[in-house]
Amino acid sequence: MHCPSTAYALTTKEVVRSVNSERQKAGLSQLIVNNKLEIASNMKLFDMQKYSYWSHDNPISKDKWWKFIVESDFDGLVGENLSRNFNSADDVVYAWMNSPLHRKNVLEKDYEEVGVSIGEVTYSGKSETVVVMEFVGSQKNIVQKTLEKLVKNEI
């Protein structure tokens, strides 16, 4: 999501391109942008803006990070990456690739589609550029993957 009055040094298209470059290096399929998932990422960004927080889960409403994905009628494997204060898509993805859980989302073989939003979020009196990337995959292995995440305390 780009606010009309704001110009960003990075674009959603470039974030997807950079993520897909990493997936290609790993021999994985390319992720496809899904319009409904982009709406979900916009909703997440708006929620972060409204409640002025930097977190996967909303600390005020206590909503879990996957709320907006589920509300957009996705029920397969899901994931979310966030970043803040980067000037290029390659820098965003470089940081994700150096974080084990973010890297896992980028390289999850069962993810098929993404939605990305970019916007300003103000928290602690400071405005920062935030990237929200939502991932979804097919329902295959969903029970196994969800159980693995629960066991590892990732949900």
Side-chain angles (χ1 to χ4, degrees):
M1 182 211 78
H2 290 138
C3 300
S5 61
T6 307
Y8 293 99
L10 65 152
T11 67
T12 58
K13 184 177 181 179
E14 284 298 306
V15 172
V16 174
R17 179 206 51 79
S18 190
V19 164
N20 277 334
S21 175
E22 293 297 330
R23 290 178 64 84
Q24 183 176 14
K25 290 178 198 173
L28 299 171
S29 63
Q30 301 289 288
L31 298 172
I32 298 166
V33 174
N34 178 297
N35 290 336
K36 283 177 64 176
L37 201 51
E38 286 216 320
I39 292 169
S41 68
N42 284 335
M43 290 169 37
K44 168 65 177 204
L45 181 62
F46 289 148
D47 193 65
M48 293 173 75
Q49 291 167 332
K50 179 179 178 180
Y51 292 103
S52 300
Y53 68 93
W54 169 251
S55 176
H56 290 282
D57 296 336
N58 182 322
I60 294 149
S61 70
K62 306 299 183 200
D63 289 332
K64 293 296 186 187
W65 63 266
W66 37 261
K67 172 190 177 189
F68 301 109
I69 300 172
V70 172
E71 287 178 352
S72 298
D73 294 327
F74 291 100
D75 60 359
L77 184 65
V78 299
E80 175 179 84
N81 280 2
L82 303 176
S83 70
R84 64 182 180 185
N85 282 343
F86 288 97
N87 293 321
S88 76
D90 289 340
D91 289 344
V92 168
V93 176
Y94 178 82
W96 286 343
M97 294 303 287
N98 285 286
S99 165
L101 292 177
H102 293 98
R103 177 185 182 87
K104 185 176 177 187
N105 278 339
V106 170
L107 299 179
E108 171 57 59
K109 68 179 177 58
D110 291 326
Y111 285 150
E112 299 165 339
E113 299 174 308
V114 292
V116 183
S117 294
I118 300 171
E120 295 298 310
V121 175
T122 300
Y123 57 94
S124 302
K126 189 167 125 181
S127 181
E128 297 183 332
T129 302
V130 170
V131 176
V132 176
M133 186 171 221
E134 307 290 11
F135 301 83
V136 296
S138 66
Q139 292 185 23
K140 63 183 174 187
N141 301 325
I142 185 61
V143 172
Q144 179 184 349
K145 294 278 185 184
T146 301
L147 288 174
E148 288 172 9
K149 285 186 173 190
L150 284 170
V151 168
K152 294 178 182 176
N153 239 358
E154 295 176 6
I155 295 180

